[in-house]
Amino acid sequence: MTTDALTDTGAQTFGCPLCTSTAAGGEWLLSYGGDSPESVATREALLTLANGYAGVRGADPESAADGVHYPGTYIAGLYNRLTSTVQGQQRQDESMVNLPNWLPLTFRVDGGPWFGAGYGEVAHQHLALDLRRGLLIREAVVTDEAGRWTRLRQRRLVSMAAPHIAALETVLVPENWSGRLELRSTIDGRVTNRNVSSFAELSDQHLEVIETGQQSDGELVWLLARTVQSKVRVATAVRTQVRGIESHRPWRRPVADPGVVGHEFLADVGEGQELTVDKVAALYISRDRAISEPLLAALHESKAAGHFETLLRAHAEAWEYLWRRFRVGIHNGIGGQLPVNLHMFHVLQTLTAHTADLDVGIQARGLHGEGYRGHVFWDELFVFPLLNFRMPELTRSLLGYRHRRLGQARRLAAAHGRRGALFPWQSGSDGSEETPSSFFNPRSGRWMADNSHRQYHVNLAIAYNVWQYWQVTGDLAFLASHGAELLVEIARFWASLAVHEPTEDRYNVRGVMGPDEFHDGYPGLPGQGMDNVAYVNVMAAWALTRAVEAHGLLGSEYCAELWDRLDLTADELAHWDHVSRRLRVPFLGNGLLAQFDGYEQLTELDWEHYRDRYGNIGRLDLILEAEGDTTNGYRVAKQADVLMLFYLFTAEELTELFDRLGYRFDPATIPATVEYYLERTTHGSTLSRVAHAWVLARTDRTRSWQLFRDALRADLADTQGGTTGEGIHLGAMAATADILQRCYTGLETRADVLWFNPRLPTELRTLDLDLHYRDQWLTARFEHTEMTLRAMPCAARPVRIGWQGEVHELAPGDTLRLSHDQPQLTAETNKEFPWTSVSASGSPRPSRRCSPKRAQR
């Protein structure tokens, strides 16, 4: 990678002043020039490399946690608890742990200061993230007071082929000098959790160093640490090799400062002579499978690992396979593919086949930083739809994270005096409620009460995810072994929370929070929750219905042991059915859905005043608290949870749900409902614009596309003002890809049929993607007038494709070409889409068409 390739003048900016898509790198290269302090944290998060097991922030190897830079290494699912004293009160927080830093590598000339700690200035630097290969590339020129120029080239990877391996290659070239060059390569165990400024008052020392050492050959050093509460041992072994000095091997000496272990290398170099340093790290923890103990495993792995080029070949091959499976191609889109590819890249490197072997959930900020302490929220609701159609086996594994914590969820429900299971709003190691009691407001300098543990709707997201996985895969074994139990216990919770009102034969759900988050109680009653939140009640009705349906699907005999163990009776099923038909849903006086009971009695906000005064009012809750006020008294939303119903369900599904509930729902009111809540939404969550882009896709594609653009920019441009540096927003990144996959294609699964109803925005000429459905790989192209769908040759059964009310059968090897005007199965070769509609044997396949009635059987 040359400097010129990273600085092409035709770069496009996507709202980020330093990141570019260059002509040379096209849609696969995110590059940065310059090093302004205020952008470093965001850059380091976006340049993070991971492989589903471990993640390494994109900090420079010579940097330290200094308030600007922040090196961070994390392993998925590794947590530790610490006790802190805040405002005179003790609190306990569980956090994802920042692990020993394996990256440190620096140099100095003729015994001067070390680069990064006093030596030299960076006269020129460019960083590039090669998305196709998962490779971080850096080129810099360092100058000193003596006028010496040293060129630095680095390549870094976190191996997708070998999950415990990470590697750094460094090439140093004296440009205009000769002399003595010293290198320093270490492992730093003196790390703390200091990535999030608002956590500054919390305890941060999660690790204690147990042991350091080196092997006799002088290439391999190790550091063994342990988390102070969870007692997980963490082993880091590093092999450092220096190449390029032909006449002699560089002299080395050990580094053994407290908490630090490594080597210093000394060599005489000439002008223009390249010196190459390979640094290969192996990371293991005591919870890893198939090991005797972590240090022994790390030593063996680091010794056996090849040189950087060997590791890169296997790593790039693994990425090539991933990109084949997760392809989403847009044409005539916003500035090309780069933002879409970047979002997909961060999803893919956070959640991989390696993740499936772990007991982990979806950490909302990925493996990219310490935001939200690495906790698991409801973001899987936005991530699983993408995985279901690409890597369903990973979805199944991640749902296992919830099932394994079902016992803890039952205990939490019991603590609230309810039956069934209540999953916590924030989850970590064991499924306990990890939602803190307060959070820091940087505007006021005060700690605010955090009552978001009342967001019981995380339960509903889990039920929805279980059902969607079943719909896409038809995995009856999962439904019988894990899914049905989750559905039953979640249904039990909501049935026990709903209070019957005999006069109207309606059930009320009181004291909960919706996804909005700006309302945790009525005016004067903070923290008490809201009554009859529309999103919650409709979703609860849906979940109860699905639990009854799952029982019918599995039958009383096939899963008799499960039903007996759960003590599920016909009377309880009948009660769920009744509750699912009689939950109360509030409406406004104009006939639109109300966010919750009493919403109309709240005050309208002076939006113009607050926008003029503050500009970005996404976090209006922080602004009002600093003024001594609260969002509880206003018709405002961080993200409009009523509109989440239109995100999760089609108009037809909602009509059916409301009919079941005994309410008349007119889909024609959806546009007015969307407008009403959009006017009162601050988009304080990165998920907000995603949901709103989705709900506008059928009524206002231009605005939908604009909100989609905004969602793509959220982390790239750090539009929330500093939050990206604490970790990317994984749910929003996956959801933007899913807008292309499902929203603009009208993709949904119903009655064992894969339905399409594409409506591409004007700006999007063509959309290409691959899908996995019922054991078949399908490759699709969507244009404004037609869709072409090809089933890859395989041994799977034909699948049924729904289009404009008709159902077509698509067998492996066939191509289905459907027009908005004339849906039909064709056997013609499309020159623009060169797939022939023939069987694997080469003979043409006849058209197959099922009637809608047949499709329902």
Side-chain angles (χ1 to χ4, degrees):
M1 181 65 60
T2 67
T3 303
D4 291 341
L6 302 179
T7 56
D8 187 271
T9 55
Q12 298 169 352
T13 62
F14 309 107
C16 173
L18 295 176
C19 55
T20 62
S21 167
T22 70
E27 65 249 26
W28 295 105
L29 190 71
L30 175 72
S31 73
Y32 286 85
D35 198 21
S36 59
E38 64 274 9
S39 68
V40 168
T42 297
R43 185 195 75 192
E44 289 178 347
L46 291 172
L47 297 182
T48 293
L49 297 177
N51 59 17
Y53 172 80
V56 179
R57 281 172 62 88
D60 300 333
E62 72 279 2
S63 67
D66 56 8
V68 176
H69 299 275
Y70 190 82
T73 298
Y74 311 101
I75 288 179
L78 178 53
Y79 295 96
N80 187 70
R81 298 182 193 276
L82 292 177
T83 300
S84 308
T85 301
V86 176
Q87 294 181 319
Q89 300 292 320
Q90 282 198 334
R91 56 180 280 172
Q92 191 178 85
D93 295 283
E94 184 178 67
S95 302
M96 179 174 70
V97 181
N98 184 19
L99 300 179
N101 183 14
W102 65 274
L103 271 175
L105 182 73
T106 186
F107 71 94
R108 65 181 177 181
V109 179
D110 290 339
W114 294 102
F115 173 49
Y119 169 78
E121 294 184 1
V122 177
H124 165 86
Q125 172 167 279
H126 281 89
L127 294 150
L129 178 59
D130 181 346
L131 303 174
R132 190 188 293 276
R133 296 187 295 166
L135 187 68
L136 179 56
I137 304 162
R138 179 191 188 196
E139 181 165 326
V141 175
V142 180
T143 66
D144 63 16
E145 293 180 353
R148 290 174 294 205
W149 292 58
T150 305
R151 184 170 296 276
L152 174 72
R153 296 197 302 270
Q154 290 178 320
R155 296 189 296 172
R156 185 191 311 178
L157 62 84
V158 176
S159 178
M160 194 62 76
H164 298 277
I165 290 291
L168 171 70
E169 178 195 69
T170 301
V171 178
L172 289 165
V173 184
E175 291 286 332
N176 63 347
W177 61 272
S178 299
R180 178 157 294 182
L181 179 67
E182 292 180 69
L183 302 167
R184 181 181 173 98
S185 172
T186 59
I187 308 170
D188 188 354
R190 302 167 301 179
V191 295
T192 58
N193 275 44
R194 304 298 292 176
N195 176 227
V196 181
S197 60
S198 62
F199 298 166
E201 294 185 47
L202 305 181
S203 300
D204 57 18
Q205 188 70 52
H206 290 277
L207 286 175
E208 56 183 353
V209 176
I210 300 173
E211 176 186 345
T212 62
Q214 60 180 299
Q215 290 197 336
S216 58
D217 62 9
E219 291 185 345
L220 193 63
V221 298
W222 70 83
L223 185 148
L224 183 65
R226 181 173 57 204
T227 55
V228 297
Q229 173 270 329
S230 54
K231 305 301 181 185
V232 178
R233 285 174 295 147
V234 180
T236 306
V238 167
R239 187 191 75 215
T240 305
Q241 296 175 314
V242 181
R243 296 180 281 113
I245 306 296
E246 303 298 336
S247 59
H248 65 279
R249 294 184 63 188
W251 178 75
R252 64 169 57 90
R253 62 187 174 212
V255 175
D257 297 333
V260 178
V261 63
H263 287 108
E264 291 176 0
F265 302 86
L266 181 65
D268 292 321
V269 295
E271 181 177 338
Q273 184 177 12
E274 288 192 356
L275 191 69
T276 301
V277 185
D278 273 351
K279 187 169 186 178
V280 177
L283 312 174
Y284 278 87
I285 64 174
S286 52
R287 292 178 181 172
D288 287 332
R289 297 182 178 184
I291 64 170
S292 171
E293 67 89 32
L295 180 56
L296 186 62
L299 292 172
H300 287 168
E301 188 84 353
S302 57
K303 288 181 68 174
H307 292 297
F308 189 90
E309 281 295 340
T310 303
L311 295 171
L312 178 57
R313 282 195 295 272
H315 171 70
E317 184 178 348
W319 266 108
E320 182 182 0
Y321 170 77
L322 276 174
W323 282 119
R324 286 204 305 264
R325 189 176 255 213
F326 282 84
R327 181 179 67 100
V328 173
I330 64 172
H331 304 276
N332 278 16
I334 58 161
Q337 277 288 139
L338 176 64
V340 174
N341 286 348
L342 180 70
H343 281 206
M344 188 71 86
F345 172 81
H346 283 300
V347 174
L348 294 186
Q349 66 170 356
T350 306
L351 304 169
T352 73
H354 306 309
T355 312
D357 202 36
L358 307 174
D359 178 31
V360 298
I362 294 179
Q363 298 173 203
R365 305 301 282 271
L367 297 170
H368 301 62
E370 296 155 21
Y372 301 148
R373 301 174 185 83
H375 289 167
V376 177
F377 293 72
W378 72 319
D379 298 66
E380 58 207 46
L381 184 71
F382 300 87
V383 177
F384 283 166
L386 182 67
L387 299 181
N388 287 342
F389 285 102
R390 309 298 182 114
M391 196 180 284
E393 63 273 22
L394 180 53
T395 302
R396 177 172 178 153
S397 171
L398 291 165
L399 285 169
Y401 169 86
R402 296 297 191 179
H403 187 265
R404 285 186 290 273
R405 287 152 183 79
L406 192 52
Q408 193 71 270
R410 288 182 175 118
R411 288 188 284 274
L412 185 58
H416 284 74
R418 306 300 172 188
R419 300 188 66 215
L422 172 60
F423 288 89
W425 177 238
Q426 295 190 33
S427 179
S429 60
D430 64 0
S432 300
E433 176 63 85
E434 302 296 346
T435 306
S437 59
S438 60
F439 64 94
F440 185 72
N441 182 356
R443 285 187 175 272
S444 66
R446 295 187 291 262
W447 288 81
M448 296 174 58
D450 187 346
N451 296 299
S452 55
H453 63 274
R454 288 187 178 271
Q455 293 198 66
Y456 306 154
H457 64 85
V458 64
N459 254 24
L460 301 169
I462 293 169
Y464 185 89
N465 293 332
V466 166
W467 195 255
Q468 290 302 309
Y469 170 79
W470 149 251
Q471 286 288 299
V472 174
T473 64
D475 187 349
L476 192 66
F478 168 80
L479 192 64
S481 61
H482 294 84
E485 187 173 11
L486 286 166
L487 291 171
V488 164
E489 295 293 51
I490 289 170
R492 274 186 172 146
F493 173 80
W494 290 101
S496 69
L497 188 63
V499 178
H500 190 233
E501 185 181 294
T503 55
E504 297 183 43
D505 189 23
R506 284 287 178 191
Y507 288 86
N508 297 302
V509 175
R510 305 190 187 280
V512 303
M513 285 177 65
D516 162 31
E517 294 188 340
F518 274 2
H519 296 92
D520 65 3
Y522 289 99
L525 297 170
Q528 300 303 304
M530 318 306 296
D531 298 340
N532 295 319
V533 176
Y535 171 80
V536 170
N537 285 17
V538 173
M539 283 290 289
W542 176 90
L544 288 160
T545 305
R546 298 289 79 78
V548 174
E549 186 176 347
H551 181 271
L553 281 168
L554 295 172
S556 58
E557 295 184 10
Y558 179 70
C559 283
E561 182 181 349
L562 173 65
W563 309 136
D564 289 344
R565 178 164 57 83
L566 295 176
D567 195 24
L568 183 62
T569 65
D571 287 345
E572 187 172 18
L573 288 166
H575 177 61
W576 293 353
D577 182 74
H578 185 252
V579 176
S580 73
R581 297 175 185 274
R582 303 304 298 166
L583 277 163
R584 186 183 305 279
V585 179
F587 289 84
L588 301 172
N590 56 12
L592 304 182
L593 282 167
Q595 190 164 316
F596 46 75
D597 277 350
Y599 184 79
E600 272 187 306
Q601 277 67 60
L602 301 181
T603 304
E604 287 284 12
L605 185 77
D606 187 344
W607 292 90
E608 185 177 348
H609 165 76
Y610 279 95
R611 287 196 173 104
D612 288 346
R613 185 173 178 184
Y614 293 100
N616 184 350
I617 59 170
R619 291 305 305 268
L620 187 63
D621 56 333
L622 305 183
I623 292 172
L624 290 180
E625 191 276 338
E627 294 183 349
D629 203 348
T630 171
T631 49
N632 280 337
Y634 299 94
R635 281 184 246 178
V636 296
K638 183 179 178 183
Q639 51 190 342
D641 48 25
V642 167
L643 303 191
M644 279 298 300
L645 293 172
F646 308 142
Y647 179 84
L648 296 177
F649 302 111
T650 64
E652 293 80 7
E653 289 172 311
L654 279 176
T655 301
E656 182 180 334
L657 273 169
F658 278 101
D659 182 64
R660 181 183 179 85
L661 284 163
Y663 293 103
R664 181 182 177 276
F665 176 75
D666 184 359
T669 63
I670 292 178
T673 306
V674 171
E675 286 301 320
Y676 181 86
Y677 286 103
L678 269 177
E679 291 174 359
R680 294 163 175 82
T681 300
T682 70
H683 299 299
S685 165
T686 56
L687 296 170
S688 179
R689 287 182 173 85
V690 169
H692 294 170
W694 189 293
V695 301
L696 284 168
R698 285 295 186 267
T699 58
D700 191 339
R701 275 175 274 172
T702 297
R703 288 177 68 197
S704 170
W705 185 254
Q706 182 59 53
L707 285 168
F708 174 68
R709 287 176 56 124
D710 292 343
L712 283 176
R713 292 180 60 249
D715 276 329
L716 270 168
D718 191 21
T719 57
Q720 287 195 321
T723 64
T724 302
E726 301 166 359
I728 54 95
H729 297 81
L730 190 68
M733 285 192 167
T736 53
D738 192 42
I739 286 177
L740 295 170
Q741 174 179 270
R742 290 192 305 141
C743 178
Y744 292 152
T745 66
L747 171 63
E748 58 175 311
T749 53
R750 285 188 283 114
D752 296 322
V753 178
L754 189 64
W755 290 91
F756 292 94
N757 183 23
R759 291 293 185 273
L760 302 186
T762 303
E763 296 85 350
L764 186 59
R765 189 187 72 221
T766 308
L767 174 62
D768 294 319
L769 49 84
D770 298 321
L771 301 167
H772 188 269
Y773 176 71
R774 301 292 174 96
D775 298 321
Q776 277 214 40
W777 273 106
L778 310 174
T779 302
R781 170 169 289 181
F782 301 89
E783 299 174 89
H784 284 272
T785 58
E786 66 181 26
M787 174 188 79
T788 310
L789 194 67
R790 183 197 180 197
M792 298 299 182
C794 68
R797 295 179 178 178
V799 295
R800 291 185 293 176
I801 306 298
W803 176 272
Q804 295 187 353
E806 294 190 343
V807 178
H808 309 265
E809 191 173 272
L810 181 63
D814 275 358
T815 296
L816 186 62
R817 186 172 182 176
L818 299 166
S819 165
H820 282 295
D821 300 324
Q822 225 173 11
Q824 60 182 337
L825 182 71
T826 69
E828 300 175 357
T829 300
N830 180 359
K831 293 182 180 179
E832 294 182 6
F833 196 56
W835 301 322
T836 56
S837 181
V838 296
S839 67
S841 63
S843 58
R845 292 192 181 275
S847 173
R848 301 178 178 87
R849 183 176 296 177
C850 307
S851 68
K853 187 175 291 185
R854 176 185 171 190
Q856 294 171 2
R857 289 202 299 267

